[in-house]
Amino acid sequence: MRTLTAVVAGAAATSALLLGPASATAETLREGAYVATIQVFSSGETYRVELLRQADADQAVRLMNGEVTHPGIPIGDIVRGSSGVNTGYDWHIDPATFHWADITAEACDGQPHEVSNADEWKVQQYCPWTIKVVSVTPES
């Protein structure tokens, strides 16, 4: 069972949800998914990903809170067209393929706006190397 233990808010910090223990479940959960907002350091741009697995949501919260640094590279397959939760873009990450990695190919590193240019972005995945998780919220 997934648990929501507290809401944290700060004047200078983004509101965030603290999720229950990682051991709660790691199975794929469509109902009750979370959305992580991720900032790419080099540009300051943000994008959003849907997190279906509790383990991915838990890791996002740990990264956001500075409790861990690895695995810390978000990676998943790019879906063109509907932006899903990734509003403001013409693409989103397939939530079924999303996970956190320690190492990825440099070819999938870049800025969110670069992924929008399908003629220039030649790989199927997106995996920005230097990121900060700025929020994790229940999907509405």
Side-chain angles (χ1 to χ4, degrees):
M1 177 173 194
R2 296 164 44 139
T3 58
L4 185 63
T5 57
V7 175
V8 175
T14 304
S15 294
L17 294 173
L18 298 177
L19 306 177
S23 61
T25 179
E27 71 219 26
T28 299
L29 300 169
R30 178 67 185 112
E31 186 175 329
Y34 289 88
V35 175
T37 301
I38 299 172
Q39 181 180 40
V40 180
F41 281 148
S42 53
S43 68
E45 292 177 61
T46 61
Y47 73 103
R48 297 168 44 140
V49 295
E50 182 180 26
L51 306 175
L52 300 181
R53 288 175 285 279
Q54 184 69 42
D56 290 331
D58 291 343
Q59 181 66 2
V61 170
R62 286 190 292 271
L63 289 163
M64 179 178 65
N65 291 336
E67 298 168 12
V68 297
T69 58
H70 294 285
I73 301 171
I75 184 169
D77 291 349
I78 299 166
V79 178
R80 302 280 176 195
S82 170
S83 64
V85 299
N86 196 24
T87 55
Y89 295 100
D90 61 354
W91 60 274
H92 68 278
I93 298 298
D94 176 355
T97 66
F98 178 87
H99 63 280
W100 297 99
D102 280 322
I103 300 169
T104 62
E106 186 176 3
C108 64
D109 180 24
Q111 305 305 314
H113 75 270
E114 294 172 327
V115 178
S116 293
N117 188 343
D119 292 333
E120 301 267 332
W121 194 263
K122 301 295 184 191
V123 294
Q124 182 180 349
Q125 294 182 316
Y126 182 49
C127 63
W129 286 1
T130 55
I131 61 100
K132 177 180 180 173
V133 177
V134 295
S135 69
V136 179
T137 57
E139 186 176 54
S140 50

